[in-house]
């Protein structure tokens, strides 16, 4: 029916706002890493530090998914 597109508009708008806010927050976090590395005097191994942080984030997400998604 004609009412279906209007009924999904608030959900789509909410999802779009959430995705935009998440992207902006991630960009802000990524901007702080060069400043942090400069202040700590880290000059070598930046790639490995960032890679390790990404792997840790992935492991945490997989752990949460494996153990807590069954409860939902």
């Amino acid at each position: 029916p004609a009412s279906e597109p209007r009924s999904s508009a608030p959900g789509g708008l909410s999802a779009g706002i959430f995705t935009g806010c998440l992207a902006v927050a991630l960009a802000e976090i990524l901007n702080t890493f060069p400043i942090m590395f400069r202040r700590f005097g880290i000059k070598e191994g930046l790639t490995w530090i960032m890679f390790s942080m990404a792997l840790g984030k992935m492991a945490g997400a997989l752990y949460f998914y494996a153990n807590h998604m069954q409860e939902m």
Side-chain angles (χ1 to χ4, degrees):
S3 63
E4 287 181 28
R6 284 183 283 172
S7 64
S8 64
L13 182 64
S14 297
I17 291 172
F18 175 77
T19 303
C21 290
L22 189 64
V24 169
L26 180 61
E28 288 295 321
I29 294 282
L30 290 176
N31 287 337
T32 62
F33 286 128
I35 297 167
M36 182 177 67
F37 292 151
R38 198 175 316 125
R39 287 191 182 175
F40 290 151
I42 300 171
K43 302 205 183 295
E44 295 180 9
L46 298 178
T47 304
W48 292 107
I49 292 172
M50 296 291 284
F51 187 67
S52 299
M53 292 171 69
L55 284 178
K57 190 77 167 164
M58 182 185 70
L62 290 174
Y63 174 79
F64 178 81
Y65 179 75
N67 291 317
H68 298 292
M69 291 304 287
Q70 297 158 356
E71 298 170 4
M72 294 182 162

